[in-house]
Structures are given as C-alpha cells and as structure tokens.
PDB file of all heavy atoms in Angstrom:
ATOM      1  N   ALA A   8      -4.420   5.329   0.364  1.00  0.00           N
ATOM      2  CA  ALA A   8      -3.602   4.210  -0.173  1.00  0.00           C
ATOM      3  C   ALA A   8      -4.602   3.291  -1.053  1.00  0.00           C
ATOM      4  O   ALA A   8      -4.118   2.608  -1.978  1.00  0.00           O
ATOM      5  CB  ALA A   8      -2.996   3.444   0.924  1.00  0.00           C
ATOM      6  N   ALA A   9      -5.879   3.162  -0.580  1.00  0.00           N
ATOM      7  CA  ALA A   9      -6.783   2.205  -1.321  1.00  0.00           C
ATOM      8  C   ALA A   9      -6.999   2.633  -2.733  1.00  0.00           C
ATOM      9  O   ALA A   9      -7.428   1.763  -3.585  1.00  0.00           O
ATOM     10  CB  ALA A   9      -8.124   2.214  -0.531  1.00  0.00           C
ATOM     11  N   GLU A  10      -6.681   3.849  -3.105  1.00  0.00           N
ATOM     12  CA  GLU A  10      -6.834   4.337  -4.540  1.00  0.00           C
ATOM     13  C   GLU A  10      -5.873   3.662  -5.376  1.00  0.00           C
ATOM     14  O   GLU A  10      -6.061   3.612  -6.633  1.00  0.00           O
ATOM     15  CB  GLU A  10      -6.813   5.824  -4.621  1.00  0.00           C
ATOM     16  CG  GLU A  10      -7.983   6.541  -3.897  1.00  0.00           C
ATOM     17  CD  GLU A  10      -7.861   8.000  -3.989  1.00  0.00           C
ATOM     18  OE1 GLU A  10      -6.842   8.502  -4.607  1.00  0.00           O
ATOM     19  OE2 GLU A  10      -8.801   8.714  -3.621  1.00  0.00           O
ATOM     20  N   THR A  11      -4.657   3.304  -4.843  1.00  0.00           N
ATOM     21  CA  THR A  11      -3.547   2.761  -5.738  1.00  0.00           C
ATOM     22  C   THR A  11      -3.095   1.425  -5.328  1.00  0.00           C
ATOM     23  O   THR A  11      -2.273   0.825  -6.032  1.00  0.00           O
ATOM     24  CB  THR A  11      -2.377   3.747  -5.710  1.00  0.00           C
ATOM     25  OG1 THR A  11      -1.974   4.023  -4.383  1.00  0.00           O
ATOM     26  CG2 THR A  11      -2.787   5.086  -6.394  1.00  0.00           C
ATOM     27  N   VAL A  12      -3.404   0.964  -4.126  1.00  0.00           N
ATOM     28  CA  VAL A  12      -2.861  -0.320  -3.587  1.00  0.00           C
ATOM     29  C   VAL A  12      -3.998  -1.283  -3.356  1.00  0.00           C
ATOM     30  O   VAL A  12      -4.958  -0.937  -2.703  1.00  0.00           O
ATOM     31  CB  VAL A  12      -1.926  -0.129  -2.308  1.00  0.00           C
ATOM     32  CG1 VAL A  12      -1.444  -1.364  -1.801  1.00  0.00           C
ATOM     33  CG2 VAL A  12      -0.975   1.011  -2.653  1.00  0.00           C
ATOM     34  N   GLU A  13      -3.798  -2.607  -3.711  1.00  0.00           N
ATOM     35  CA  GLU A  13      -4.877  -3.589  -3.462  1.00  0.00           C
ATOM     36  C   GLU A  13      -5.033  -3.873  -2.016  1.00  0.00           C
ATOM     37  O   GLU A  13      -4.089  -3.777  -1.212  1.00  0.00           O
ATOM     38  CB  GLU A  13      -4.437  -4.863  -4.262  1.00  0.00           C
ATOM     39  CG  GLU A  13      -4.253  -4.653  -5.729  1.00  0.00           C
ATOM     40  CD  GLU A  13      -2.848  -4.327  -6.189  1.00  0.00           C
ATOM     41  OE1 GLU A  13      -2.227  -3.619  -5.344  1.00  0.00           O
ATOM     42  OE2 GLU A  13      -2.487  -4.664  -7.206  1.00  0.00           O
ATOM     43  N   GLU A  14      -6.230  -4.340  -1.584  1.00  0.00           N
ATOM     44  CA  GLU A  14      -6.522  -4.586  -0.272  1.00  0.00           C
ATOM     45  C   GLU A  14      -5.659  -5.592   0.402  1.00  0.00           C
ATOM     46  O   GLU A  14      -5.203  -5.427   1.537  1.00  0.00           O
ATOM     47  CB  GLU A  14      -8.043  -5.017  -0.213  1.00  0.00           C
ATOM     48  CG  GLU A  14      -8.480  -5.376   1.237  1.00  0.00           C
ATOM     49  CD  GLU A  14      -8.520  -4.244   2.263  1.00  0.00           C
ATOM     50  OE1 GLU A  14      -8.520  -3.153   1.732  1.00  0.00           O
ATOM     51  OE2 GLU A  14      -8.525  -4.473   3.413  1.00  0.00           O
ATOM     52  N   ARG A  15      -5.284  -6.629  -0.318  1.00  0.00           N
ATOM     53  CA  ARG A  15      -4.432  -7.682   0.207  1.00  0.00           C
ATOM     54  C   ARG A  15      -3.034  -7.220   0.618  1.00  0.00           C
ATOM     55  O   ARG A  15      -2.374  -7.741   1.514  1.00  0.00           O
ATOM     56  CB  ARG A  15      -4.291  -8.841  -0.814  1.00  0.00           C
ATOM     57  CG  ARG A  15      -3.544  -8.568  -2.057  1.00  0.00           C
ATOM     58  CD  ARG A  15      -3.748  -9.740  -3.036  1.00  0.00           C
ATOM     59  NE  ARG A  15      -3.102  -9.503  -4.326  1.00  0.00           N
ATOM     60  CZ  ARG A  15      -1.934 -10.106  -4.620  1.00  0.00           C
ATOM     61  NH1 ARG A  15      -1.315 -10.860  -3.725  1.00  0.00           N
ATOM     62  NH2 ARG A  15      -1.436  -9.966  -5.841  1.00  0.00           N
ATOM     63  N   TYR A  16      -2.541  -6.012  -0.003  1.00  0.00           N
ATOM     64  CA  TYR A  16      -1.313  -5.503   0.430  1.00  0.00           C
ATOM     65  C   TYR A  16      -1.505  -4.526   1.505  1.00  0.00           C
ATOM     66  O   TYR A  16      -0.687  -4.358   2.450  1.00  0.00           O
ATOM     67  CB  TYR A  16      -0.612  -4.845  -0.798  1.00  0.00           C
ATOM     68  CG  TYR A  16      -0.110  -5.742  -1.823  1.00  0.00           C
ATOM     69  CD1 TYR A  16      -0.779  -5.830  -3.036  1.00  0.00           C
ATOM     70  CD2 TYR A  16       0.810  -6.693  -1.581  1.00  0.00           C
ATOM     71  CE1 TYR A  16      -0.427  -6.750  -3.996  1.00  0.00           C
ATOM     72  CE2 TYR A  16       1.297  -7.643  -2.501  1.00  0.00           C
ATOM     73  CZ  TYR A  16       0.686  -7.621  -3.740  1.00  0.00           C
ATOM     74  OH  TYR A  16       1.055  -8.515  -4.684  1.00  0.00           O
ATOM     75  N   LEU A  17      -2.657  -3.811   1.555  1.00  0.00           N
ATOM     76  CA  LEU A  17      -2.923  -2.821   2.542  1.00  0.00           C
ATOM     77  C   LEU A  17      -3.018  -3.494   3.951  1.00  0.00           C
ATOM     78  O   LEU A  17      -2.453  -2.911   4.938  1.00  0.00           O
ATOM     79  CB  LEU A  17      -4.234  -2.046   2.286  1.00  0.00           C
ATOM     80  CG  LEU A  17      -4.218  -1.118   1.059  1.00  0.00           C
ATOM     81  CD1 LEU A  17      -5.608  -0.509   0.901  1.00  0.00           C
ATOM     82  CD2 LEU A  17      -3.200  -0.060   1.146  1.00  0.00           C
ATOM     83  N   VAL A  18      -3.648  -4.507   4.041  1.00  0.00           N
ATOM     84  CA  VAL A  18      -3.922  -5.086   5.364  1.00  0.00           C
ATOM     85  C   VAL A  18      -2.646  -5.735   5.994  1.00  0.00           C
ATOM     86  O   VAL A  18      -2.578  -5.916   7.301  1.00  0.00           O
ATOM     87  CB  VAL A  18      -5.007  -6.232   5.351  1.00  0.00           C
ATOM     88  CG1 VAL A  18      -6.278  -5.602   4.896  1.00  0.00           C
ATOM     89  CG2 VAL A  18      -4.563  -7.384   4.475  1.00  0.00           C
ATOM     90  N   GLN A  19      -1.572  -5.916   5.196  1.00  0.00           N
ATOM     91  CA  GLN A  19      -0.420  -6.576   5.806  1.00  0.00           C
ATOM     92  C   GLN A  19       0.687  -5.569   5.845  1.00  0.00           C
ATOM     93  O   GLN A  19       1.865  -6.020   6.077  1.00  0.00           O
ATOM     94  CB  GLN A  19       0.009  -7.774   5.073  1.00  0.00           C
ATOM     95  CG  GLN A  19       0.173  -7.622   3.538  1.00  0.00           C
ATOM     96  CD  GLN A  19       0.431  -8.888   2.793  1.00  0.00           C
ATOM     97  OE1 GLN A  19       1.427  -9.417   2.787  1.00  0.00           O
ATOM     98  NE2 GLN A  19      -0.719  -9.490   2.220  1.00  0.00           N
ATOM     99  N   THR A  20       0.458  -4.251   5.645  1.00  0.00           N
ATOM    100  CA  THR A  20       1.606  -3.318   5.525  1.00  0.00           C
ATOM    101  C   THR A  20       1.314  -2.059   6.348  1.00  0.00           C
ATOM    102  O   THR A  20       0.145  -1.658   6.550  1.00  0.00           O
ATOM    103  CB  THR A  20       1.944  -3.016   4.080  1.00  0.00           C
ATOM    104  OG1 THR A  20       0.745  -2.557   3.453  1.00  0.00           O
ATOM    105  CG2 THR A  20       2.543  -4.088   3.361  1.00  0.00           C
ATOM    106  N   ASP A  21       2.362  -1.444   6.733  1.00  0.00           N
ATOM    107  CA  ASP A  21       2.215  -0.131   7.412  1.00  0.00           C
ATOM    108  C   ASP A  21       2.154   0.991   6.466  1.00  0.00           C
ATOM    109  O   ASP A  21       2.345   0.898   5.282  1.00  0.00           O
ATOM    110  CB  ASP A  21       3.481   0.082   8.319  1.00  0.00           C
ATOM    111  CG  ASP A  21       3.438   1.307   9.141  1.00  0.00           C
ATOM    112  OD1 ASP A  21       2.782   1.352  10.181  1.00  0.00           O
ATOM    113  OD2 ASP A  21       4.171   2.297   8.725  1.00  0.00           O
ATOM    114  N   ARG A  22       1.854   2.252   7.025  1.00  0.00           N
ATOM    115  CA  ARG A  22       1.745   3.467   6.237  1.00  0.00           C
ATOM    116  C   ARG A  22       2.994   3.740   5.366  1.00  0.00           C
ATOM    117  O   ARG A  22       2.888   4.168   4.244  1.00  0.00           O
ATOM    118  CB  ARG A  22       1.456   4.631   7.096  1.00  0.00           C
ATOM    119  CG  ARG A  22       1.077   5.922   6.488  1.00  0.00           C
ATOM    120  CD  ARG A  22       0.664   6.932   7.439  1.00  0.00           C
ATOM    121  NE  ARG A  22       0.483   8.334   6.953  1.00  0.00           N
ATOM    122  CZ  ARG A  22      -0.595   8.802   6.317  1.00  0.00           C
ATOM    123  NH1 ARG A  22      -1.553   8.045   6.176  1.00  0.00           N
ATOM    124  NH2 ARG A  22      -0.588  10.098   5.945  1.00  0.00           N
ATOM    125  N   PHE A  23       4.152   3.441   5.892  1.00  0.00           N
ATOM    126  CA  PHE A  23       5.402   3.750   5.177  1.00  0.00           C
ATOM    127  C   PHE A  23       5.591   2.896   3.991  1.00  0.00           C
ATOM    128  O   PHE A  23       6.045   3.307   2.917  1.00  0.00           O
ATOM    129  CB  PHE A  23       6.664   3.752   6.092  1.00  0.00           C
ATOM    130  CG  PHE A  23       7.302   2.326   6.187  1.00  0.00           C
ATOM    131  CD1 PHE A  23       8.553   2.085   5.495  1.00  0.00           C
ATOM    132  CD2 PHE A  23       6.768   1.327   6.899  1.00  0.00           C
ATOM    133  CE1 PHE A  23       9.183   0.872   5.644  1.00  0.00           C
ATOM    134  CE2 PHE A  23       7.325   0.065   7.066  1.00  0.00           C
ATOM    135  CZ  PHE A  23       8.620  -0.174   6.340  1.00  0.00           C
ATOM    136  N   THR A  24       5.009   1.663   4.047  1.00  0.00           N
ATOM    137  CA  THR A  24       4.993   0.772   2.908  1.00  0.00           C
ATOM    138  C   THR A  24       3.797   1.205   1.940  1.00  0.00           C
ATOM    139  O   THR A  24       3.989   1.059   0.665  1.00  0.00           O
ATOM    140  CB  THR A  24       4.852  -0.734   3.218  1.00  0.00           C
ATOM    141  OG1 THR A  24       6.030  -1.018   4.090  1.00  0.00           O
ATOM    142  CG2 THR A  24       4.860  -1.652   2.081  1.00  0.00           C
ATOM    143  N   HIS A  25       2.750   1.651   2.442  1.00  0.00           N
ATOM    144  CA  HIS A  25       1.694   2.268   1.552  1.00  0.00           C
ATOM    145  C   HIS A  25       2.270   3.294   0.695  1.00  0.00           C
ATOM    146  O   HIS A  25       2.010   3.373  -0.568  1.00  0.00           O
ATOM    147  CB  HIS A  25       0.447   2.727   2.359  1.00  0.00           C
ATOM    148  CG  HIS A  25      -0.231   1.729   3.210  1.00  0.00           C
ATOM    149  ND1 HIS A  25      -1.148   2.009   4.133  1.00  0.00           N
ATOM    150  CD2 HIS A  25      -0.055   0.381   3.207  1.00  0.00           C
ATOM    151  CE1 HIS A  25      -1.474   0.915   4.785  1.00  0.00           C
ATOM    152  NE2 HIS A  25      -0.873  -0.111   4.196  1.00  0.00           N
ATOM    153  N   PHE A  26       3.038   4.176   1.257  1.00  0.00           N
ATOM    154  CA  PHE A  26       3.681   5.252   0.560  1.00  0.00           C
ATOM    155  C   PHE A  26       4.663   4.622  -0.570  1.00  0.00           C
ATOM    156  O   PHE A  26       4.633   5.119  -1.706  1.00  0.00           O
ATOM    157  CB  PHE A  26       4.533   6.143   1.484  1.00  0.00           C
ATOM    158  CG  PHE A  26       3.762   6.941   2.380  1.00  0.00           C
ATOM    159  CD1 PHE A  26       4.321   7.378   3.665  1.00  0.00           C
ATOM    160  CD2 PHE A  26       2.467   7.473   2.076  1.00  0.00           C
ATOM    161  CE1 PHE A  26       3.638   8.273   4.531  1.00  0.00           C
ATOM    162  CE2 PHE A  26       1.741   8.352   3.020  1.00  0.00           C
ATOM    163  CZ  PHE A  26       2.364   8.671   4.214  1.00  0.00           C
ATOM    164  N   ALA A  27       5.348   3.617  -0.169  1.00  0.00           N
ATOM    165  CA  ALA A  27       6.298   3.044  -1.077  1.00  0.00           C
ATOM    166  C   ALA A  27       5.668   2.382  -2.278  1.00  0.00           C
ATOM    167  O   ALA A  27       6.049   2.599  -3.372  1.00  0.00           O
ATOM    168  CB  ALA A  27       7.240   2.090  -0.364  1.00  0.00           C
ATOM    169  N   LEU A  28       4.650   1.622  -2.017  1.00  0.00           N
ATOM    170  CA  LEU A  28       3.882   1.005  -3.074  1.00  0.00           C
ATOM    171  C   LEU A  28       3.240   1.987  -4.020  1.00  0.00           C
ATOM    172  O   LEU A  28       3.295   1.812  -5.302  1.00  0.00           O
ATOM    173  CB  LEU A  28       2.764   0.102  -2.421  1.00  0.00           C
ATOM    174  CG  LEU A  28       3.286  -1.144  -1.732  1.00  0.00           C
ATOM    175  CD1 LEU A  28       2.153  -1.817  -0.973  1.00  0.00           C
ATOM    176  CD2 LEU A  28       3.807  -2.239  -2.746  1.00  0.00           C
ATOM    177  N   SER A  29       2.703   3.069  -3.529  1.00  0.00           N
ATOM    178  CA  SER A  29       2.095   4.087  -4.364  1.00  0.00           C
ATOM    179  C   SER A  29       3.195   4.869  -5.127  1.00  0.00           C
ATOM    180  O   SER A  29       2.983   5.174  -6.349  1.00  0.00           O
ATOM    181  CB  SER A  29       1.248   5.080  -3.503  1.00  0.00           C
ATOM    182  OG  SER A  29       0.213   4.416  -2.862  1.00  0.00           O
ATOM    183  N   ALA A  30       4.247   5.287  -4.451  1.00  0.00           N
ATOM    184  CA  ALA A  30       5.287   5.990  -5.127  1.00  0.00           C
ATOM    185  C   ALA A  30       5.991   5.141  -6.167  1.00  0.00           C
ATOM    186  O   ALA A  30       6.344   5.610  -7.275  1.00  0.00           O
ATOM    187  CB  ALA A  30       6.340   6.500  -4.122  1.00  0.00           C
ATOM    188  N   ALA A  31       6.177   3.873  -5.959  1.00  0.00           N
ATOM    189  CA  ALA A  31       6.796   3.021  -6.932  1.00  0.00           C
ATOM    190  C   ALA A  31       5.866   2.885  -8.146  1.00  0.00           C
ATOM    191  O   ALA A  31       6.451   2.856  -9.279  1.00  0.00           O
ATOM    192  CB  ALA A  31       7.039   1.514  -6.319  1.00  0.00           C
ATOM    193  N   GLN A  32       4.590   2.759  -7.989  1.00  0.00           N
ATOM    194  CA  GLN A  32       3.746   2.710  -9.145  1.00  0.00           C
ATOM    195  C   GLN A  32       3.742   4.015  -9.974  1.00  0.00           C
ATOM    196  O   GLN A  32       3.720   3.976 -11.162  1.00  0.00           O
ATOM    197  CB  GLN A  32       2.272   2.348  -8.647  1.00  0.00           C
ATOM    198  CG  GLN A  32       1.404   2.042  -9.881  1.00  0.00           C
ATOM    199  CD  GLN A  32       1.864   0.881 -10.730  1.00  0.00           C
ATOM    200  OE1 GLN A  32       2.129  -0.206 -10.198  1.00  0.00           O
ATOM    201  NE2 GLN A  32       2.073   1.082 -12.031  1.00  0.00           N
TER     202      GLN A  32
END
C-alpha cells in the first residue's frame, strides 16, 4: 500500500481501505 498511499492515510486505515484507496487511484 505504501507504493500508492501516503503514510498519513496508511496509519489510520485498515487493509480494506488501503485496497480502496489504491483501486480508486
């Protein structure tokens, strides 16, 4: 997830949201 999502979002979200942020981008 760190390849596509900023650290400030990673630390406050779960894996399912990491998927969503990456897929949305």
Side-chain angles (χ1 to χ4, degrees):
E10 293 181 355
T11 55
V12 181
E13 301 90 328
E14 176 66 18
R15 65 191 178 103
Y16 293 109
L17 291 180
V18 299
Q19 57 186 277
T20 53
D21 180 81
R22 185 173 171 86
F23 89 107
T24 301
H25 299 168
F26 289 153
L28 290 165
S29 297
Q32 190 58 55

